[in-house]
Amino acid sequence: MPQPTRLQQDLAERIVQLVNDDGLAIGALLNENSLARRLEVSRTPVRGALQHLEEQGIVARRPNRGVELIAIPQKNLASAPPPDDDEEWLVRIARDHRAGSLPQDISEIEVMRRYGLNRPAVQRVLSRLADLEMVERKPGYGWRFLTGTRDRATHDESYRFRLMVEPMGILEASFRLDPSWIEMMRRLHGDTLERHWHESSSVAFFEMNAAFHEGLAAASGNRFVHAAIRHQNQLRRFSQYDWKFGFERVVVNCREHLEMLDYLARDEREIASLLMRRHLERASQVRSE
Amino acid sequence: MPQPTRLQQDLAERIVQLVNDDGLAIGALLNENSLARRLEVSRTPVRGALQHLEEQGIVARRPNRGVELIAIPQKNLASAPPPDDDEEWLVRIARDHRAGSLPQDISEIEVMRRYGLNRPAVQRVLSRLADLEMVERKPGYGWRFLTGTRDRATHDESYRFRLMVEPMGILEASFRLDPSWIEMMRRLHGDTLERHWHESSSVAFFEMNAAFHEGLAAASGNRFVHAAIRHQNQLRRFSQYDWKFGFERVVVNCREHLEMLDYLARDEREIASLLMRRHLERASQVRSE
DNA sequence: TATTGTATTTCATCATGACAGAATACAATC
DNA sequence: GATTGTATTCTGTCATGATGAAATACAATA
């Protein structure tokens, strides 16, 4: 009981979500069986999640009767994406390599030694870096970083690719955008514009940016469009996490996003699509200056 | 020495490739060191590959002097893609599931038992099926097949996606197509049209088709376009391997490909791009009849 | 009877060691 | 001196068993 599992944490969040969606009031009784059924897991991890919520004072066990809701939980910050355990290692290794503190060619054992990771973890991390085309297996043993010719060309190709997919995604017949999503995005962008700007906000800014583009890709109703953009975001995450945006760039970006949201709210998708095209073209030139 | 490694097989093929590229004649001496350097591996696997070639009567060892080329090897069939070891299992599992002989939800151990695979192999295979969105991890333990709603919608979304990417790829400024590739493709398509058609040719036909689209994607000079189409091919490979094409469909397909090749040979890319668009639109309707 | 409490079984991950193949170094031969 | 032959070291994969968590079955209680 000291450390809730990742599954248990996720379930706890999803239970909070269910409570909100169902509009339950204080005093309502939950029960493990129906939760387990709705969440498609067994009772065991649900118990763990409930215990976790109990420690937070959100529910209280009523022996043999159920679990009473004793406080309405408020959802955490707007859809904080659950940070993957391996992810921090991805970022760290990518950064270390860029800083030149890693050799161009490296074996799995060397990575294990340097970072104190076990082998399965190293293999997961390297596989994911390979998916992002940041490393590749060497023919014999070991791995090789690909960041030689990569950065310059990749940046352009990424934008060229997104220019093919994102504006068209908005025009798909299956495009459906949740109005509440638009509202949430508007609020996030408004906040970013008004809040005082720190260098340290660049990660948050990146994530908002990524969420905007991914959300529209998801709305296209085409899983391949969505998957492609998610992949692009993942790719950019590492090369841009410690990229220092000037505030002017942030302002321009938010304004362009807000403009698109305005048109999308009125279902003016042709215009939004054009704006997306121009937005990407402009953004692609930022770095190459 | 009974079984050459996969790496050794690959090296043997690449050595043959080098011999052809360099235009070496019978009697020429190869040496392990320079081959190892050019192939970016150590001498050990090169030795294995040479031994393999020796058994085929292509080279002969001259102790302490080198390895003599005693027969000009002819390249195997046009770019036969080295069939991945796991791949047959992917196909088999996908097929078994479609045939209904696998449960909707399944654990890794169950897969190990049914197919007599070891755990790492099962994990590789399931991961790849997950990349193709054919299965997903269940929250707790086990995996779930996604082929419920999948097939119908996926087919359409796949073509919608390719319609965004493939015609545009041809128009990219970085587009470069190797004339010899065009020639090879023409020959392949011509052969397919003339040869008598068997049901059993459908795999070969699929692969030619895939190679055509992948080749054009690669020519775009954009790695994301290329990766996206490779992914689409992989996806289609499983749902279409035992799809029975009527011969009329094969004829139409080849004619359309050949027409595109004609325009591409003259660098008439706008027209080729339009033809690609119509080709995909037409192909997308075949199955939904 | 509905629900939680408890015990048992099953599963996936990790740790460890064995093994085959690749990398490397050095000896032998022309 | 260049090349192959041979030995040694290093690396990654597989096999096995231990461990913790999830799934499942059954008992207990309101």
Side-chain angles (χ1 to χ4, degrees):
Chain A
M1 52 194 79
Q3 279 294 42
T5 310
R6 167 157 300 275
L7 174 59
Q8 294 172 5
Q9 290 176 38
D10 290 348
L11 291 178
E13 282 179 29
R14 291 176 62 195
I15 290 172
V16 168
Q17 182 71 40
L18 286 180
V19 166
N20 281 329
D21 289 353
D22 293 352
L24 297 184
I26 288 183
L29 280 177
L30 309 173
N31 76 74
E32 295 177 355
N33 278 315
S34 60
L35 285 175
R37 224 175 307 120
R38 289 177 72 177
L39 297 169
E40 298 185 288
V41 293
S42 73
R43 272 178 54 210
T44 313
V46 171
R47 282 178 75 78
L50 288 174
Q51 184 165 17
H52 190 216
L53 291 175
E54 188 175 17
E55 286 163 10
Q56 297 181 337
I58 293 175
V59 301
R61 308 202 83 100
R62 301 283 173 251
N64 296 315
R65 295 195 40 246
V67 178
E68 186 178 338
L69 190 64
I70 59 175
I72 296 295
Q74 34 198 352
K75 284 182 58 181
N76 281 349
L77 290 175
S79 65
D84 190 325
D85 266 353
D86 294 330
E87 198 128 340
E88 57 180 295
W89 292 109
L90 289 180
V91 175
R92 173 130 173 241
I93 291 177
R95 182 172 300 162
D96 284 355
H97 173 258
R98 221 170 338 155
S101 54
L102 285 178
Q104 194 67 11
D105 293 21
I106 195 165
S107 70
E108 295 180 8
I109 287 201
E110 181 66 17
V111 178
M112 288 171 66
R113 272 198 283 262
R114 290 206 188 217
Y115 296 97
L117 293 170
N118 53 17
R119 194 181 287 267
V122 168
Q123 289 178 335
R124 282 196 305 272
V125 169
L126 286 176
S127 296
R128 288 179 63 172
L129 286 173
D131 282 342
L132 300 174
E133 302 194 64
M134 297 197 56
V135 302
E136 69 174 5
R137 282 194 107 84
K138 289 202 295 180
Y141 289 148
W143 300 73
R144 173 189 301 136
F145 281 92
L146 289 179
T147 341
T149 62
R150 231 186 113 269
D151 282 344
R152 217 178 313 278
T154 308
H155 176 266
D156 292 341
E157 291 174 28
S158 169
Y159 276 104
R160 302 291 308 163
F161 180 69
R162 293 172 65 193
L163 270 166
M164 298 179 194
V165 173
E166 296 200 45
M168 293 302 291
I170 295 177
L171 297 179
E172 284 290 280
S174 47
F175 188 90
R176 296 282 179 283
L177 198 51
D178 181 357
S180 72
W181 184 86
I182 297 184
E183 266 326 297
M184 187 197 72
M185 271 294 152
R186 272 181 169 150
R187 223 169 333 110
L188 276 173
H189 281 76
D191 288 357
T192 303
L193 281 177
E194 287 182 12
R195 227 197 303 272
H196 197 59
W197 178 251
H198 315 82
E199 281 296 346
S200 61
S201 325
S202 69
V203 168
F205 172 63
F206 175 87
E207 289 301 340
M208 182 187 75
N209 201 11
F212 175 83
H213 287 278
E214 183 175 334
L216 290 184
S220 75
N222 187 311
R223 78 196 67 188
F224 302 115
V225 171
H226 186 194
I229 299 311
R230 218 174 329 130
H231 183 244
Q232 288 293 321
N233 276 338
Q234 190 69 347
L235 208 61
R236 292 153 44 76
R237 209 182 305 277
F238 299 116
S239 48
Q240 302 218 330
Y241 253 10
D242 41 19
W243 162 253
K244 300 289 180 283
F245 300 93
F247 189 50
E248 337 75 58
R249 183 62 214 144
V250 173
V251 172
V252 171
N253 194 295
C254 285
R255 292 244 172 84
E256 292 181 355
H257 281 190
L258 285 168
E259 195 180 0
M260 276 183 257
L261 289 171
D262 284 342
Y263 283 103
L264 287 168
R266 283 176 265 146
D267 204 39
E268 299 253 34
R269 285 160 42 199
E270 271 95 0
I271 297 180
S273 173
L274 278 173
L275 291 175
M276 175 63 87
R277 186 177 304 282
R278 289 171 53 185
H279 172 64
L280 289 172
E281 281 167 353
R282 224 168 295 165
S284 80
Q285 283 158 12
V286 169
R287 207 195 173 160
S288 41
E289 285 166 7
Chain B
M1 51 195 77
Q3 279 292 43
T5 310
R6 167 157 300 276
L7 174 58
Q8 293 173 5
Q9 290 177 39
D10 291 348
L11 291 177
E13 283 179 29
R14 291 175 63 193
I15 289 171
V16 167
Q17 182 72 41
L18 286 180
V19 166
N20 281 329
D21 289 354
D22 292 353
L24 296 186
I26 290 183
L29 280 177
L30 308 174
N31 77 73
E32 296 176 354
N33 277 314
S34 60
L35 285 175
R37 225 176 306 119
R38 288 177 73 179
L39 297 169
E40 297 185 289
V41 293
S42 73
R43 269 179 57 209
T44 313
V46 170
R47 282 177 75 78
L50 288 174
Q51 185 165 17
H52 190 215
L53 291 175
E54 188 175 17
E55 287 163 10
Q56 298 182 338
I58 294 175
V59 300
R61 308 203 82 99
R62 300 284 173 250
N64 296 317
R65 295 195 40 246
V67 178
E68 185 178 340
L69 190 64
I70 60 175
I72 295 296
Q74 33 198 351
K75 284 182 59 182
N76 281 349
L77 289 175
S79 65
D84 190 326
D85 266 354
D86 294 331
E87 197 128 340
E88 57 179 294
W89 293 110
L90 290 179
V91 175
R92 174 131 174 241
I93 291 177
R95 181 172 299 162
D96 284 356
H97 173 258
R98 221 170 338 154
S101 55
L102 285 178
Q104 195 67 10
D105 292 22
I106 195 166
S107 71
E108 294 181 7
I109 285 201
E110 181 66 16
V111 178
M112 288 171 66
R113 272 199 283 261
R114 290 205 187 219
Y115 296 97
L117 293 170
N118 53 17
R119 193 180 287 269
V122 168
Q123 288 177 336
R124 282 196 306 270
V125 169
L126 287 175
S127 297
R128 289 179 62 173
L129 285 174
D131 281 343
L132 300 173
E133 302 195 63
M134 296 197 57
V135 302
E136 69 175 5
R137 283 193 106 85
K138 288 202 295 181
Y141 289 149
W143 300 73
R144 173 188 302 136
F145 281 92
L146 289 179
T147 341
T149 61
R150 230 185 115 270
D151 281 345
R152 218 178 312 279
T154 309
H155 176 266
D156 292 340
E157 290 173 30
S158 169
Y159 275 105
R160 302 290 309 163
F161 179 69
R162 293 172 64 193
L163 271 166
M164 298 179 194
V165 173
E166 296 200 46
M168 293 302 291
I170 295 176
L171 298 178
E172 283 290 280
S174 48
F175 188 90
R176 293 285 178 283
L177 198 51
D178 181 355
S180 71
W181 184 88
I182 297 184
E183 267 327 296
M184 187 197 71
M185 272 293 152
R186 273 179 169 152
R187 223 170 333 109
L188 277 173
H189 281 75
D191 289 355
T192 302
L193 280 177
E194 288 181 12
R195 225 197 304 271
H196 196 59
W197 178 252
H198 315 81
E199 280 297 346
S200 62
S201 326
S202 68
V203 167
F205 172 62
F206 175 88
E207 290 300 341
M208 181 187 76
N209 201 11
F212 175 82
H213 288 277
E214 182 174 335
L216 291 184
S220 75
N222 187 311
R223 78 196 67 187
F224 301 114
V225 171
H226 186 193
I229 298 311
R230 218 173 332 129
H231 184 245
Q232 289 293 321
N233 276 338
Q234 190 70 345
L235 207 61
R236 292 154 45 76
R237 210 181 304 277
F238 299 118
S239 46
Q240 303 218 328
Y241 253 12
D242 39 21
W243 162 251
K244 300 289 178 284
F245 301 94
F247 188 49
E248 335 76 57
R249 184 61 214 146
V250 173
V251 172
V252 171
N253 195 294
C254 285
R255 292 245 172 83
E256 291 181 355
H257 281 190
L258 284 169
E259 194 180 1
M260 274 183 257
L261 289 171
D262 284 342
Y263 283 104
L264 287 168
R266 282 176 265 147
D267 205 40
E268 299 253 34
R269 286 166 36 204
E270 271 94 359
I271 297 181
S273 173
L274 278 172
L275 290 175
M276 175 63 87
R277 185 177 305 282
R278 288 171 54 185
H279 171 64
L280 289 172
E281 282 166 352
R282 224 167 295 166
S284 81
Q285 284 159 9
V286 169
R287 204 190 175 167
S288 41
E289 285 166 6

